[in-house]
Structures are given as C-alpha cells and as structure tokens.
Amino acid sequence: MIKVGIIGAEKPEAGELLRILINHPEVEITTLYSPSYNGRQVSSCHHGFLGESIVEFSDKIDPSELDTVFIADESEIGENVMRMSEDYPDLRIIDMSAPRFEHMDAHGMEYGLSEANRKSLVRGARLAVVPSPAAAVALTALNPLALAGMIESDIDIDIALPHQAANAVDIQSLSKEIKFMLSKSHPDFDSQLRINIIPSDIGRAIRVRMLLRSPLATDEVDRVFESVYDDHSFVATSHSDIGNREVEGTNKCVVTINKPGAGLLELQGIGDVYLRGGAATAAHIMNLFFALDEKVGLKLKNSCFGMEDSHSDSQFSWFA
C-alpha cells in the first residue's frame, strides 16, 4: 500500500483529493497535517466523511514514514519537505498548492500533466507540480498540434470558469505556464497567447476556447490527436458541443474540434475545474510515479444526472 500524507489537509483541494484517495485500492491515508484542526475529525471540515474510517487531522508529519506527500497549501512545512526531499530518496512529493508552476525550477520538479509530460513522470521522477486547471485543459488541446509543429499563428484563448476560480487566475503566470510546455513540445514555438478570463455561473466546469489560424481540416486534426492520445485514458474528442455534466466529477478532458471559418481552427476543451488540474490530476501523477495503471482509483463518473437532464440542457454559451 502507498502510505499517503497531505499537508494543508483542511484546504478544499485536499478535500477533493481525499474523496478520491479514500476509494483508491492502493492507498493508505496515514497523515492529514493541519495544525489548526489538530485532533478533529475530517467530517468537521470536509463534507461526505461522516461515518468513514479515516485518520484525524494532526499537527505532526514524518516524511520518513510516508511514500507520498501531497502539498495543498503554501505553509512553511511544505517548503521544508520539498527542500529536504534528498533526505528521503523513496518519498514522492506532489505539489498541488498555488502558485505551483513557479516551484518547478526552485525544487527540480516535473510538470505533472500526463498528456504533455508522461515519459518524465514514469521514468524515475519523484517530485511534480500539478498544472493549473486552465493550463491543464488548454495544453491538452494544443499540445498535439505543437508536437507536430502545426501551430503557426497567435492564439486567442477564452477561459470560462466559476467566479472564485476566475478571481485566482494570474494571466501572466498562466501564459508563461502554457508557453513553457508548448515550447518543450516544439522548441520553435513562438506564438503569442491572448488570454481572456470569463467568470461564469458554470458549476464545476472549466471551458477553454482556443482560436488560431490553420489550413488543417478537421479530419487532419483528428488524426493528429489520435496519434498522440491513442494510449491516454482521460482525453476524448468531439465535433459537437459537450455539456458540462459530461466531465463534472471526472478526470476527463473533452476537446471539441471545429472549423468556424476558412483558414480558422477552433478547439474547445472542457474539464472539471477542481479535478482536472487539481485533485484527480494529483492522484494521476501518483499512479504514474508508482507504475500503477493510470486509471486506478480514477474511474470517476458524474453521479448527479437527473431524469430531466438532456445533453443540451447543460450547454454553455460564450455569448450569454
């Protein structure tokens, strides 16, 4: 069993992670570090845990007794664990705090988006940062074209996400994060990104619409995506609009491919803002670190569909 500790276990991100890990067949949750909640039950902070057998919050954590530490806040103890990682050669550290991307160089961490960086994650990496939700969705859509050297224009990016999540987005940092990985996929990438954040009443979803100039037909784009993602479990493509509930509560990212006009290509990625580039991505990284099937513990499905729901009911309009 993988012995797991979470630093900042009282944070909402940690609650999302706990709801995944409590059902993970290879995980034993042993430490929930939160001095402010020391001695209290998890249900005092996170809903859905009444009656569950799970350790209490604690003000102590010993990395030598753990296989994986998830860092969900910016506390000094998290920084100390990352700085001392060489003292624990068997310990894996996954940083899901914010800001995350800025921690990579300081601590020699890998970028934790499997769809763009899986080889690095499975070949002996021990430290990784969870991508931001917007970058995770945008890169899932753009990276296949970058790998093929097929991005030759600037990109307009509209990002719709819940109000609270939108308020936390730093556009300059997000642009840097996306460009970093696209340049890693294709060293000659030099396109400009024009990013627009749209706070929306959109439930748990994040929708990223990318518009660029491209002569490619949709079937050509389909083939590029198939060649890159044929063995990836959490990416799907479509040519029709996808409702939010198709991805809410899951680790999936669905990319819609369209040609809105001559010489234009529109990609629209959709995911769960709290799981994609959040808790589910963090668990996905752990699976790769320990050479598990990437789907273990992550066969998540939205269980909130109602009889009145239809595919079109949950559509998002960019013009609403």
Side-chain angles (χ1 to χ4, degrees), residues 225-291:
F225 271 73
E226 289 169 5
S227 68
V228 173
Y229 291 141
D230 64 332
D231 62 344
H232 286 258
S233 302
F234 300 113
V235 181
T237 59
S238 174
H239 292 288
S240 58
D241 289 339
I242 300 299
N244 298 342
R245 292 180 181 177
E246 186 65 34
V247 297
E248 288 177 341
T250 80
N251 190 39
K252 290 192 298 185
C253 181
V254 179
V255 180
T256 302
I257 302 166
N258 285 308
K259 295 286 290 185
L264 295 175
L265 175 65
E266 181 187 70
L267 304 174
Q268 186 176 155
I270 179 172
D272 184 310
V273 73
Y274 303 113
L275 298 181
R276 187 75 178 180
T281 299
H284 190 181
I285 295 168
M286 180 192 69
N287 285 348
L288 297 176
F289 275 175
F290 288 92

Side-chain angles (χ1 to χ4, degrees), residues 183-199:
S183 298
K184 186 173 180 179
S185 295
H186 197 279
D188 293 331
F189 175 83
D190 62 355
S191 299
Q192 295 301 307
L193 308 180
R194 293 183 287 266
I195 298 175
N196 180 37
I197 303 298
I198 306 171

Side-chain angles (χ1 to χ4, degrees), residues 46-62:
H46 301 303
H47 70 265
F49 290 97
L50 277 173
E52 297 287 350
S53 178
I54 190 169
V55 296
E56 297 176 345
F57 291 112
S58 173
D59 62 355
K60 297 179 176 60
I61 184 168
D62 184 352

Side-chain angles (χ1 to χ4, degrees), residues 62-132:
D62 184 352
S64 67
E65 297 181 351
L66 300 170
D67 300 307
T68 298
V69 171
F70 293 92
I71 300 174
D73 67 10
E74 299 177 66
S75 65
E76 184 177 350
I77 186 68
E79 283 290 325
N80 288 340
V81 169
M82 285 191 282
R83 282 196 295 267
M84 297 168 58
S85 63
E86 293 300 322
D87 296 335
Y88 307 104
D90 296 325
L91 180 68
R92 273 66 167 183
I93 300 173
I94 300 169
D95 183 9
M96 52 190 298
S97 66
R100 309 159 188 170
F101 178 71
E102 287 77 2
H103 293 175
M104 285 183 59
D105 290 339
H107 299 290
M109 308 182 87
E110 290 291 342
Y111 191 72
L113 183 64
S114 169
E115 288 76 18
N117 200 32
R118 183 162 66 178
K119 287 183 179 179
S120 297
L121 296 173
V122 300
R123 293 180 176 176
R126 297 192 302 111
L127 294 82
V129 294
V130 175
S132 66

Side-chain angles (χ1 to χ4, degrees), residues 139-150 224-225 228-229:
L139 285 167
T140 301
L142 292 171
N143 194 58
L145 297 180
L147 285 169
M150 292 179 172
V224 172
F225 271 73
V228 173
Y229 291 141

